Amino acid sequence: DEETNKSKKSFGTFRTKFNTESNKLEILKGETINLDERIDCIYFEETFYIFQKTQFEQITGLTEEFKEHAETIANELIETKMFEGMDLLKKQIQENPAIHKKLVRLKKINNYQNLTEKSLNKMIKIAKRYGGKLKKNNGKIVIENETDIDLTIKVLVDFYKTGEFSGKPYGTFSGKELTA
C-alpha cells in the first residue's frame, strides 16, 4: 500500500496473496508451503510414490551410496589386472554421477570376475560389431578416454542384446536374466 509504506524504500523477500475483495496484494504472515513445478515424490500412508527418480535418489542420499559402490567396483576391476588406464574410470566416478548406476549394474551381472585373454578378445569383437573400438595391449584392455570406459562397461553388462523373434540388435542396460 503506497499510502502507508512511503518511508520504506528497500525490498526483501516477502510472500503475498491477492485479496479478491480489495483487489490488492496482501503480505502473508506465518509459514507457507512451496511446491516446485515438478514434484519429485510423495510419501503417503508409509509408501513413496516416485515421479522424478534421479531427484528422489538425490533427496534420499542414494546418489552417494551409488558413488561408494561405484568406487568399490572400480577397485575390483583394477584387481582383475585386465585393464590399463583405470585412473580415467576413477576420475569419471568423481565427476560423472551417470556412471555410478552403470557400474552398480555391472556388479549385479558380475561378468568381470573371471576375465581371460579369450574373453577380452570377445569384448573387442562385440564392440567392433556395434561400431565401437576397444584396444588391447599386453593382454589388457586399454582405457584412453570416456568412450573407452563407456564401451567397456556396455560390453561387460551385456548392453547389446538381440531380439529372439526379429533377430534385431538392441542396446539397453535393463534386462533380467531368463532361464528357458
Side-chain angles (χ1 to χ4, degrees):
D1 187 351
E2 292 178 21
E3 296 302 316
T4 57
N5 291 316
K6 284 183 180 179
S7 64
K8 296 181 182 179
K9 293 182 181 179
S10 65
F11 289 95
T13 301
F14 55 92
R15 301 187 198 293
T16 62
K17 69 175 181 178
F18 184 76
N19 185 329
T20 56
E21 292 173 13
S22 66
N23 291 330
K24 291 184 179 182
L25 283 177
E26 295 177 354
I27 293 179
L28 279 174
K29 294 177 174 43
E31 295 183 28
T32 60
I33 296 175
N34 294 327
L35 295 177
D36 287 337
E37 191 174 305
R38 287 192 261 159
I39 297 173
D40 301 328
C41 66
I42 294 174
Y43 183 72
F44 179 70
E45 294 182 357
E46 298 187 26
T47 302
F48 274 104
Y49 298 93
I50 302 166
F51 304 110
Q52 303 290 327
K53 185 177 175 186
T54 305
Q55 285 76 10
F56 174 77
E57 290 169 352
Q58 196 171 18
I59 291 167
T60 57
L62 289 173
T63 306
E64 277 303 310
E65 194 172 324
F66 285 140
K67 183 177 179 182
E68 289 173 21
H69 286 299
E71 289 169 346
T72 301
I73 295 156
N75 289 333
E76 290 176 7
L77 286 168
I78 292 167
E79 287 171 16
T80 68
K81 297 184 182 350
M82 300 302 273
F83 301 95
E84 191 178 292
M86 294 301 280
D87 338 340
L88 281 170
L89 177 62
K90 292 275 207 168
K91 184 179 176 193
Q92 276 292 301
I93 291 169
Q94 298 305 315
E95 297 174 359
N96 181 8
I99 200 167
H100 301 166
K101 286 189 205 174
K102 293 175 184 177
L103 288 169
V104 169
R105 174 80 176 149
L106 177 58
K107 176 66 175 177
K108 184 178 179 183
I109 293 176
N110 212 18
N111 284 345
Y112 62 93
Q113 292 295 345
N114 299 308
L115 292 174
T116 62
E117 182 140 359
K118 185 177 178 181
S119 57
L120 295 185
N121 291 335
K122 186 175 182 179
M123 287 175 65
I124 292 167
K125 187 176 175 181
I126 292 167
K128 185 177 181 181
R129 185 180 320 140
Y130 294 101
K133 184 177 180 184
L134 288 176
K135 297 171 241 29
K136 192 169 88 169
N137 184 29
N138 296 325
K140 296 179 179 186
I141 294 288
V142 179
I143 305 294
E144 296 177 327
N145 53 44
E146 292 176 28
T147 303
D148 293 341
I149 293 170
D150 189 54
L151 189 54
T152 299
I153 292 171
K154 282 180 175 180
V155 171
L156 286 172
V157 300
D158 287 332
F159 176 85
Y160 303 104
K161 297 168 177 64
T162 305
E164 286 288 318
F165 178 73
S166 67
K168 294 177 185 176
Y170 296 93
T172 177
F173 283 102
S174 65
K176 179 180 174 188
E177 187 176 355
L178 304 173
T179 54

